[in-house]
Amino acid sequence: MTRTTYRCTCGALLEYKQDLEKESGVAAPTWKCTDCGTPVPSQIAEKVRHQHPS
């Protein structure tokens, strides 16, 4: 399986669930970069959040 990564506008490389922050209080989950709080596209976030460092 190919590993999904995403480069945030702040320059952070998002690779694992711990790189994302879930916005609470909304019906559909919204994921943000933990470094700057910029929203991450949901399709990318769903793939990244299932990856674990090995």
Side-chain angles (χ1 to χ4, degrees):
M1 187 171 160
T2 305
R3 184 170 297 277
T4 300
T5 60
Y6 178 76
R7 180 72 63 183
C8 183
T9 56
C10 72
L13 183 62
L14 309 179
E15 296 182 89
Y16 307 112
K17 184 176 181 176
Q18 58 264 34
D19 298 329
L20 299 170
E21 180 179 321
K22 185 176 180 183
E23 183 178 306
S24 59
V26 293
T30 302
W31 298 91
K32 295 182 176 185
C33 171
T34 55
D35 288 352
C36 68
T38 300
V40 175
S42 60
Q43 201 170 29
I44 300 294
E46 287 301 317
K47 291 179 181 179
V48 169
R49 76 183 195 95
H50 290 290
Q51 296 177 156
H52 301 283
S54 49

